[in-house]
Amino acid sequence: MIRTDGYMNDLGRILVKDYPWGRLSGRDVLVTGASGMVGSVLTDVLVSKASEYDFQVVAMSRGMDGLKQAFPERSEHLRLVSHDVNKPVGDIVCDTVFHCASNTHPRAYSLDPIGTIETNVIGLKNLLDMASDAGDGRFVFASSVEIYGENRGDVDAFDESYCGYIDCSSVRSGYNESKRVGEALCQAYGSQKDLDFVIPRLSRIYGPSVRPDDSKAMTQFLFKAVSGQDIVLKSKGTQLFSYCYVMDAVDAMLHLFFNGESKNAYNVSGKDSDVTLLSLAKRVSEIAGVDVVFDMPDEVESRGYSKATKAVLDISKIRSTGWEPSYSLDEGLMRTIDDLSSMISNQVRC
């Protein structure tokens, strides 16, 4: 990924925060899914602090090519590891873990439903075993708004105690249910092995580190916009969701790593970022100067779509710890479109 000036400025807004980075001194910090949208930004932040505070960052992903593309500049404090978390970790030993690896978009859910479940359960177990044996670090499991399922119509926003409806007979439910099992697995390790962990439940994330093969609606809107094409909406757009700019998501994960109460889950969402899908499409189209058109999804893609019609997160709990989102939806969209446009321009010139 090309680090634009806008991206580096956003990264700097996290780096200047007064987190107790010294707690990481001497540790090996593992980031799984390190070439993904959230994991790559998180890795960039950690590597930027690793030299000053003398710790190592282990960036793990299934493919070395993706890692080298995500991190073209080497640092003596960064180790790239190609490994499938669904296999035993072998000689990898890290007591501090940010588990961000997961299938996170509709086409992946429908084409690889087994792998989706395995990463959120078997892969997680492999890492929990490693971390619980390695020492006294902290484990961060990146969970999702998807664990709430369908709003039963009894609340306007989900707090951390809410439990909605999931149709477990659908292929799509593999993601939701496995994230739920993953959270339960963390609780089991916390109870039986006294593992220190915290769980950020992320809303729908977007930002300049998004991958082109991501089939989420927001991502498709953004790539259509930066290429000057009309935005394609594959439903009536009445779904009401919470969104979060990737820099806020990463900042929240770090805040919870340093400040979150052990064995707790926290909702994470952006500022003024609850919006219908149609309104979102219109905002992106207005920023990019394109139109919105409607087109129904094909059968494969539709199997991976969420059935939720209202999934808004209440972030009162994380706010009580002192964290606040920094980016409004409009600001995040403009920054993402600017950065993606700059990246595409640089790639064309190269």
Side-chain angles (χ1 to χ4, degrees):
M1 186 181 75
I2 300 170
R3 271 67 175 174
T4 64
D5 289 343
Y7 178 90
M8 296 307 297
N9 287 337
D10 284 348
L11 213 65
R13 291 172 66 171
I14 300 176
L15 294 172
V16 298
K17 295 204 170 183
D18 189 26
Y19 290 136
W21 296 103
R23 293 185 194 172
L24 296 177
S25 294
R27 296 187 183 273
D28 290 328
V29 182
L30 174 63
V31 180
T32 69
S35 60
M37 177 164 54
V38 173
S40 61
V41 177
L42 176 60
T43 300
D44 277 344
V45 173
L46 291 169
V47 171
S48 296
K49 291 291 185 179
S51 176
E52 181 180 358
Y53 291 95
D54 189 28
F55 62 90
Q56 292 291 317
V57 181
V58 181
M60 180 185 289
S61 183
R62 283 180 293 185
M64 183 57 72
D65 288 345
L67 285 169
K68 289 180 177 179
Q69 184 176 1
F71 309 105
E73 295 183 7
R74 300 296 181 265
S75 164
E76 62 179 351
H77 292 274
L78 174 64
R79 175 185 171 196
L80 304 183
V81 175
S82 176
H83 180 76
D84 184 345
V85 295
N86 296 326
K87 299 177 182 179
V89 296
D91 61 355
I92 301 168
V93 179
C94 299
D95 62 1
T96 302
V97 180
F98 291 85
H99 184 32
C100 304
S102 183
N103 284 339
T104 58
H105 61 95
R107 193 164 288 276
Y109 301 151
S110 60
L111 293 177
D112 186 24
I114 296 173
T116 297
I117 296 171
E118 285 180 332
T119 303
N120 293 334
V121 181
I122 297 172
L124 173 60
K125 183 183 184 302
N126 289 335
L127 296 169
L128 289 169
D129 283 333
M130 178 202 67
S132 60
D133 292 339
D136 61 349
R138 170 166 269 201
F139 197 103
V140 179
F141 175 48
S143 189
S144 168
V145 60
E146 298 277 5
I147 66 104
Y148 295 111
E150 181 75 70
N151 191 316
R152 299 193 305 265
D154 52 346
V155 296
D156 289 327
F158 304 146
D159 66 16
E160 287 78 3
S161 66
Y162 190 78
C163 188
Y165 169 74
I166 296 175
D167 177 8
C168 61
S169 65
S170 70
V171 171
R172 174 61 171 77
S173 68
Y175 180 74
N176 313 62
E177 295 284 22
S178 60
K179 281 294 188 181
R180 281 188 173 184
V181 172
E183 290 201 16
L185 196 57
C186 288
Q187 294 292 346
Y189 274 75
S191 174
Q192 191 168 333
K193 297 196 174 185
D194 198 29
L195 182 72
D196 178 15
F197 69 88
V198 67
I199 300 173
R201 290 177 181 163
L202 304 178
S203 59
R204 287 164 170 81
I205 310 301
Y206 67 96
S209 55
V210 67
R211 294 166 56 140
D213 61 350
D214 188 322
S215 60
K216 290 194 293 290
M218 165 70 98
T219 305
Q220 295 307 303
F221 293 172
L222 292 168
F223 278 107
K224 290 286 187 181
V226 297
S227 62
Q229 301 179 54
D230 290 340
I231 291 171
V232 179
L233 193 59
K234 298 191 174 185
S235 68
K236 293 181 179 179
T238 57
Q239 305 95 316
L240 178 63
F241 298 143
S242 294
Y243 295 88
C244 188
Y245 187 49
V246 67
M247 295 294 175
D248 268 339
V250 168
D251 182 47
M253 292 176 70
L254 290 166
H255 175 88
L256 291 174
F257 174 82
F258 289 118
N259 302 294
E261 184 177 350
S262 184
K263 303 177 178 63
N264 270 249
Y266 296 83
N267 289 338
V268 177
S269 185
K271 180 172 64 176
D272 302 324
S273 295
D274 303 333
V275 65
T276 66
L277 203 57
L278 178 57
S279 295
L280 173 65
K282 288 181 176 179
R283 289 192 190 189
V284 175
S285 71
E286 289 167 359
I287 293 171
V290 296
D291 293 326
V292 177
V293 298
F294 294 82
D295 181 37
M296 292 301 102
D298 61 40
E299 182 180 352
V300 171
E301 193 169 5
S302 63
R303 287 202 304 265
Y305 282 176
S306 171
K307 299 299 188 291
T309 56
K310 184 177 183 181
V312 175
L313 291 182
D314 178 346
I315 60 172
S316 299
K317 185 175 180 180
I318 191 173
R319 278 180 162 146
S320 72
T321 69
W323 183 81
E324 286 287 340
S326 297
Y327 300 88
S328 68
L329 182 64
D330 286 340
E331 184 178 10
L333 290 175
M334 285 188 286
R335 286 173 176 271
T336 300
I337 290 171
D338 284 346
D339 275 7
L340 289 177
S341 297
S342 296
M343 284 185 235
I344 291 173
S345 296
N346 287 332
Q347 290 168 348
V348 169
R349 285 199 296 270
C350 292

